[in-house]
Amino acid sequence: MSGSPREQPGHARSQETSRAAVDPGLAEVTIGPATKFAALPDPFLFWRGGALSEGRVAYETWGALNEARDNAILLFTGLSPSAHAASSPADPSPGWWEKMVGPGKAIDTDHYYVICVNSLGSCFGSSGPASIDPSTGLAYRLQFPDLSVEDIARGGYETVRSLGIRRLSAVIGASLGGMVVLAFAAQFAGFAQRVVSISGSAAASPFAIALRSTQRDAILTDPDWQDGQYSGDIRPITGMRLARKLGTLTYRSAAEWKHRFGRRPASDRHYEVLSPGRAHFPAEFAVQDYLNAQADKFVSVFDPNCYLYLSRAIDRFDLSAHGGTMLSALKRAGAERALIIGVESDILFSINEQRSLAEAFQAAGTETEFVPLASLEGHDAFLVDIEPFAAAIGKFLA
Amino acid sequence: MSGSPREQPGHARSQETSRAAVDPGLAEVTIGPATKFAALPDPFLFWRGGALSEGRVAYETWGALNEARDNAILLFTGLSPSAHAASSPADPSPGWWEKMVGPGKAIDTDHYYVICVNSLGSCFGSSGPASIDPSTGLAYRLQFPDLSVEDIARGGYETVRSLGIRRLSAVIGASLGGMVVLAFAAQFAGFAQRVVSISGSAAASPFAIALRSTQRDAILTDPDWQDGQYSGDIRPITGMRLARKLGTLTYRSAAEWKHRFGRRPASDRHYEVLSPGRAHFPAEFAVQDYLNAQADKFVSVFDPNCYLYLSRAIDRFDLSAHGGTMLSALKRAGAERALIIGVESDILFSINEQRSLAEAFQAAGTETEFVPLASLEGHDAFLVDIEPFAAAIGKFLA
């Protein structure tokens, strides 16, 4: 079971986890025991130029591929999750979409063979800025090729191809994943029979670009980022925390926070001890505790350079690059059916973006269902307000 | 005309501008030639405790006080402006509300005597963390008393009292100013006949608190903040720039930016030269140029400690502290008429906050007009989409 993932595509197991820790300059990344690895073609050419040697994609699977090999569903994640979408015998810990993926659930693993990939460029087992460049034995950092959403899509494509799958029953993604499925459909025409894009966009809005570029600024201007050459011990924690707080601001909605936090006072005052100056400005409201907790959690697991690469890729994505317009891209894609879901309180990927996307799919000749949800939970609704999403997805896939 | 402002309340002139520059540790602040100064009672007691000696408020005036002394309007600003709301013979440069205040305009200086104050705690002539503590000869910095919106209101009250005014025809404010007018009405019952609160709130929402506390974090975690002891040469520029970018994100609306910037490419790439690492992540979209320009402008004029004090005061404000509920506070205030204006696209001070406020004014027995505007310009609409605001305010004051 050991050996390089190139020799045993799709079968290298968690022994590979040490690989991400070879570079003494980076913190070790924890990869779950159900993680498998697919070797990418060598070289793997990037959409904007550049190439990767010995690249790989980490993934997990649930259910079984049928004999006809036509019951596979490929799942792409948002910016930050790993491939661990749901628990399994090999890894019983709850996954990031535990309530959606499993036996008898909306994405029903009794019927479908589900593959979830860790995005290329991320840091949970797939090749990315934090993984090792075989030509140097050190992490790529900023020498990693210029990542695009199209490359993430291709990473998923090569993964399912390595599993002997020639056509997907569906490709599904939310947030960043909701963009990746579009890049997938545009690049691999006809490969996915059905496309499900949740809280995604055909091209980032200037508001979202402003938000994400400010998040990147917070990291880029942190002296501890050190031009990407930070060590495992001293990392741009301050910038990463600010970036995550900023993200957290846009993942839910003001209405939901009003209900959840109101103006309740903070209970956690640990920031008071940091310095005499900061003691003048402690957290005073419960919502600040929440932001601090979210920031702490993120910083402990995510690599800063990977974050920068993925964040920039989202800003740059524009489906119309595939053929000149969104419509021509989707005509070329030739999906049979599409399900587009959006949330009215989403300020990051607005409902108008999903509506336009659904209209373009329809105009491209794809049988399209558009589901606008009135959830208060904002952009992250697909993670927390599961029922309406599960209802729409379950019905679409049935 | 020289001498301390305490000896000549309301008449000390721009010779006083050197005062803000006495502390060699802080950058000099430019104060316009039309600025006058009102001495505060000594000691000036703060709402949360603490006191100020030799405090003052910078202000400008337009028009003339009539013999009955009943045509005065007091104007409070948002977080960042100076008292220079409009041009005048003494200072012909355009003010921050140039299109609203002047002869024949909505706030008509042919009929009204208009006073605009620089908020107590700010850095354009009024006492604040950047001004000199007479007991040390150095800037207060974090030794400035704990500032509340109530203190800003009282600073305005003392200013108009020093001008011999016993009752205001109206008190008007937008954004932070829209809160200050409420604190004014609650503290000085009956002093203002009419209240105009624009894009304000009776208490900051958790979303707005999250946003502002993250802005403060950006400054507090900037090593150059130095626990508030930064010098004039080395200031927390990085944190201030991030804070302003974050603010800028919430001052307009996603719809307006989509129209204004779309996905047009950046023209300004000056950040590429900063470091080899940052050169990998230059501004690529026009909206990033805009954020950079807004950040540069703000950093060049605003004091970081003053920003922290004002920002925190906004989070803490809660009108219901005056009597137990918003309703009891407004009953106590006893204003004759109120005009509440809000903007539907405002994500910082949401239209629901203004609606609740209008309902409470009405319930408190004040004749109330609520004007919800459909402007795309978001929170800053009162600065850029002047016409509908001018129409509502002009009609209300006529």
Side-chain angles (χ1 to χ4, degrees), chain A residues 136-159:
Chain A
T136 64
L138 297 171
Y140 285 101
R141 300 178 186 267
L142 306 190
Q143 299 312 310
F144 194 77
D146 221 1
L147 183 77
S148 299
V149 168
E150 283 80 358
D151 304 315
I152 301 172
R154 184 174 292 274
Y157 171 79
E158 297 294 353
T159 300

Side-chain angles (χ1 to χ4, degrees), chain A residues 48 142-143 146 203-211 213-218 220-223 225 227-228 238 241-242 245-246 249-250 252-254 257-259 261-263 275-278 280-282 284-285 287-288 291-292 305 308-309 312 314-318 347 352-353 356, chain B residues 48 142-143 146 203-211 213-218 220-223 225 227-228 238 241-242 245-246 249-250 252-254 257-259 261-263 275-278 280-282 284-285 287-288 291-292 305 308-309 312 314-318 347 352-353 356:
Chain A
R48 285 174 180 263
L142 306 190
Q143 299 312 310
D146 221 1
S205 72
F207 177 82
I209 290 171
L211 186 278
S213 66
T214 303
Q215 292 176 300
R216 294 195 297 277
D217 276 353
L220 297 172
T221 59
D222 183 335
W225 181 57
D227 274 333
T238 298
R241 294 187 87 258
L242 286 170
K245 287 187 179 189
L246 237 153
L249 267 161
T250 60
R252 300 297 173 90
S253 76
W257 279 6
K258 186 175 177 189
H259 177 72
F261 301 114
R263 288 176 57 84
S275 75
R278 287 187 68 184
H280 280 76
F281 300 93
E284 296 184 31
F285 295 94
V287 71
Q288 293 173 268
L291 288 182
N292 280 324
N305 287 337
L308 293 169
Y309 268 72
R312 181 179 55 182
I314 300 174
D315 282 2
R316 286 174 166 178
F317 178 64
D318 190 343
I347 59 172
N352 291 332
E353 293 167 66
S356 308
Chain B
R48 285 175 180 262
L142 306 189
Q143 300 312 309
D146 221 0
S205 72
F207 176 83
I209 290 171
L211 186 277
S213 66
T214 302
Q215 292 176 299
R216 294 195 298 276
D217 276 353
L220 296 171
T221 58
D222 183 335
W225 181 58
D227 274 332
T238 298
R241 295 187 87 257
L242 286 170
K245 287 187 178 189
L246 237 153
L249 266 160
T250 61
R252 301 296 174 91
S253 76
W257 279 5
K258 187 176 178 190
H259 177 73
F261 301 114
R263 289 178 56 86
S275 75
R278 287 186 68 183
H280 280 78
F281 300 93
E284 297 183 32
F285 294 95
V287 71
Q288 293 173 267
L291 289 182
N292 280 324
N305 287 338
L308 292 169
Y309 268 72
R312 182 179 56 182
I314 300 174
D315 282 2
R316 285 174 165 177
F317 179 64
D318 190 342
I347 59 172
N352 291 332
E353 293 166 66
S356 308

